Amino acid sequence: MSAAVQSIIELGSDGMVIDVECHITNGLPNMIIVGSSNKATIDAKERIRSGFSSAKLDLPRKRITLNLSPADVPKVGTG
């Protein structure tokens, strides 16, 4: 299963549209964020888990890969 949405990141005083793609497959339950992310975006895994819990939704017990593209643009912050 795959899905994609667009988001905006800050680049100085400007913004840039990025694509956030999610792919869920069978395998060991895990969440991976790729695409030149930093510590704040890696911590997003816990915010995603708590958001699912607060909404009383079950997080799929599958392998979840989140791709932030374009990969050559550094992603910083929680946006």
Side-chain angles (χ1 to χ4, degrees):
M1 177 180 148
S2 295
V5 297
Q6 291 186 320
S7 184
I8 298 175
I9 60 171
E10 291 180 42
L11 288 175
S13 62
D14 294 327
M16 178 179 187
V17 176
I18 63 164
D19 294 316
V20 180
E21 302 164 339
C22 177
H23 188 71
I24 299 176
T25 59
N26 292 327
L28 292 174
N30 194 8
M31 190 178 308
I32 302 163
I33 300 176
V34 296
S36 189
S37 55
N38 70 357
K39 179 70 173 145
T41 54
I42 300 300
D43 290 344
K45 292 187 246 187
E46 294 308 316
R47 290 191 296 278
I48 292 168
R49 285 188 179 98
S50 66
F52 268 79
S53 178
S54 295
K56 296 183 177 35
L57 296 171
D58 292 327
L59 188 63
R61 298 208 37 87
K62 297 186 178 260
R63 183 179 183 86
I64 302 169
T65 304
L66 298 167
N67 179 39
L68 309 175
S69 63
D72 61 337
V73 176
K75 283 54 161 211
V76 295
T78 59

